[in-house]
């Protein structure tokens, strides 16, 4: 972060400034990343449950 500020802004960032910037980013974007992770987890679980359902159906035996 501090290297980025030195390169991009031609001014070094102090440790405190970097920490404050990360806190601000977390406050502003944290919920969006958290929600995206929830949606991704839900999609993964749905895919695995579908695969499990298919596996269970493959185990089904014919009825006479």
């Amino acid at each position: 972060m501090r290297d980025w500020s030195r390169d991009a802004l031609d001014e070094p960032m102090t440790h405190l400034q970097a920490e404050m910037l990360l806190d601000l980013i977390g406050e502003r974007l944290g919920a969006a990343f958290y929600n995206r992770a929830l949606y991704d987890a839900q999609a993964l679980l749905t895919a695995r449950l579908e695969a499990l359902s298919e596996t269970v159906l493959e185990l089904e035996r014919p009825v006479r």
Side-chain angles (χ1 to χ4, degrees), residues 9-20:
L9 306 174
D10 295 326
E11 187 174 319
M13 183 181 287
T14 67
H15 181 75
L16 178 61
Q17 289 171 324
E19 197 172 307
M20 291 172 64

Side-chain angles (χ1 to χ4, degrees), residues 8-60:
L9 306 174
D10 295 326
E11 187 174 319
M13 183 181 287
T14 67
H15 181 75
L16 178 61
Q17 289 171 324
E19 197 172 307
M20 291 172 64
L21 179 59
L22 286 174
D23 287 344
L24 177 65
I25 291 170
E27 288 174 15
R28 300 278 171 94
L29 299 177
F33 284 109
Y34 176 81
N35 289 342
R36 182 62 204 196
L38 287 178
Y39 298 140
D40 290 347
Q42 182 181 24
L44 179 65
L45 287 172
T46 299
R48 292 204 176 179
L49 284 173
E50 287 176 7
L52 181 61
S53 293
E54 291 173 9
T55 302
V56 169
L57 288 176
E58 290 172 2
L59 296 172
E60 186 175 356

